[in-house]
Amino acid sequence: MEGDIASMGQFIGAGIAGLGAGIAALGVGNVAANFLSGALRNPSAAAGQTATLFIGIAFAEALGIFSFLIALLLMFAA
Protein backbone atom coordinates (compact mmCIF):
# COMPACT_ATOMS: atom_id res chain seq x y z
CA MET A 1 0.00 0.00 0.00
CA GLU A 2 2.81 2.36 0.83
CA GLY A 3 4.45 1.91 -2.58
CA ASP A 4 1.19 2.65 -4.36
CA ILE A 5 0.76 5.95 -2.56
CA ALA A 6 4.36 6.92 -3.31
CA SER A 7 4.03 6.15 -7.02
CA MET A 8 0.72 8.00 -7.11
CA GLY A 9 2.45 11.02 -5.60
CA GLN A 10 5.21 10.79 -8.19
CA PHE A 11 2.74 10.82 -11.07
CA ILE A 12 0.66 13.62 -9.59
CA GLY A 13 3.81 15.70 -9.09
CA ALA A 14 4.96 14.92 -12.62
CA GLY A 15 1.59 15.96 -14.00
CA ILE A 16 1.68 19.24 -12.11
CA ALA A 17 5.24 19.86 -13.30
CA GLY A 18 4.14 19.00 -16.83
CA LEU A 19 1.71 21.90 -16.74
CA GLY A 20 4.79 24.10 -17.04
CA ALA A 21 5.10 23.11 -20.69
CA GLY A 22 1.65 24.52 -21.40
CA ILE A 23 2.38 27.64 -19.42
CA ALA A 24 5.63 28.08 -21.38
CA ALA A 25 3.63 27.88 -24.60
CA LEU A 26 1.41 30.68 -23.32
CA GLY A 27 4.54 32.69 -22.52
CA VAL A 28 5.93 32.26 -26.04
CA GLY A 29 2.60 33.34 -27.49
CA ASN A 30 2.56 36.38 -25.24
CA VAL A 31 6.10 37.38 -26.29
CA ALA A 32 5.30 36.97 -29.98
CA ALA A 33 1.99 38.82 -29.68
CA ASN A 34 3.60 41.78 -27.94
CA PHE A 35 6.37 41.88 -30.55
CA LEU A 36 3.87 41.88 -33.39
CA SER A 37 1.80 44.54 -31.67
CA GLY A 38 4.84 46.78 -31.32
CA ALA A 39 6.06 46.03 -34.84
CA LEU A 40 2.71 46.98 -36.32
CA ARG A 41 2.68 50.23 -34.35
CA ASN A 42 6.24 51.19 -35.33
CA PRO A 43 7.50 49.16 -38.29
CA SER A 44 10.81 51.03 -38.51
CA ALA A 45 11.86 49.85 -35.03
CA ALA A 46 10.85 46.22 -35.58
CA ALA A 47 14.21 45.20 -37.03
CA GLY A 48 16.02 46.35 -33.90
CA GLN A 49 13.74 44.36 -31.61
CA THR A 50 14.13 41.00 -33.33
CA ALA A 51 17.01 39.95 -31.05
CA THR A 52 14.89 40.82 -28.01
CA LEU A 53 12.09 38.67 -29.44
CA PHE A 54 14.35 35.64 -29.75
CA ILE A 55 15.80 36.14 -26.26
CA GLY A 56 12.29 36.31 -24.79
CA ILE A 57 11.21 33.19 -26.66
CA ALA A 58 14.35 31.36 -25.52
CA PHE A 59 13.72 32.22 -21.86
CA ALA A 60 10.08 31.14 -22.07
CA GLU A 61 11.02 27.86 -23.75
CA ALA A 62 13.78 27.23 -21.20
CA LEU A 63 11.17 27.30 -18.44
CA GLY A 64 9.13 24.71 -20.34
CA ILE A 65 12.18 22.49 -20.79
CA PHE A 66 13.05 22.78 -17.10
CA SER A 67 9.52 21.81 -16.08
CA PHE A 68 9.67 18.82 -18.46
CA LEU A 69 12.97 17.80 -16.88
CA ILE A 70 11.47 18.04 -13.39
CA ALA A 71 8.51 15.91 -14.52
CA LEU A 72 10.87 13.23 -15.86
CA LEU A 73 12.91 13.31 -12.68
CA LEU A 74 9.80 12.90 -10.56
CA MET A 75 8.55 9.98 -12.61
CA PHE A 76 11.75 7.98 -13.00
CA ALA A 77 14.33 9.11 -10.44
CA ALA A 78 12.32 9.74 -7.30
Side-chain angles (χ1 to χ4, degrees):
M1 182 75 177
E2 219 172 280
D4 293 338
I5 293 175
S7 66
M8 181 182 65
Q10 285 177 340
F11 290 126
I12 289 174
I16 292 171
L19 289 176
I23 293 171
L26 291 175
V28 170
N30 192 16
V31 169
N34 286 331
F35 172 76
L36 287 176
S37 175
L40 290 175
R41 269 192 248 137
N42 190 2
S44 62
Q49 295 297 320
T50 306
T52 308
L53 168 73
F54 289 131
I55 290 171
I57 288 175
F59 281 141
E61 281 297 321
L63 292 175
I65 291 169
F66 291 150
S67 69
F68 178 68
L69 177 66
I70 296 298
L72 286 178
L73 286 173
L74 285 173
M75 283 196 320
F76 297 115

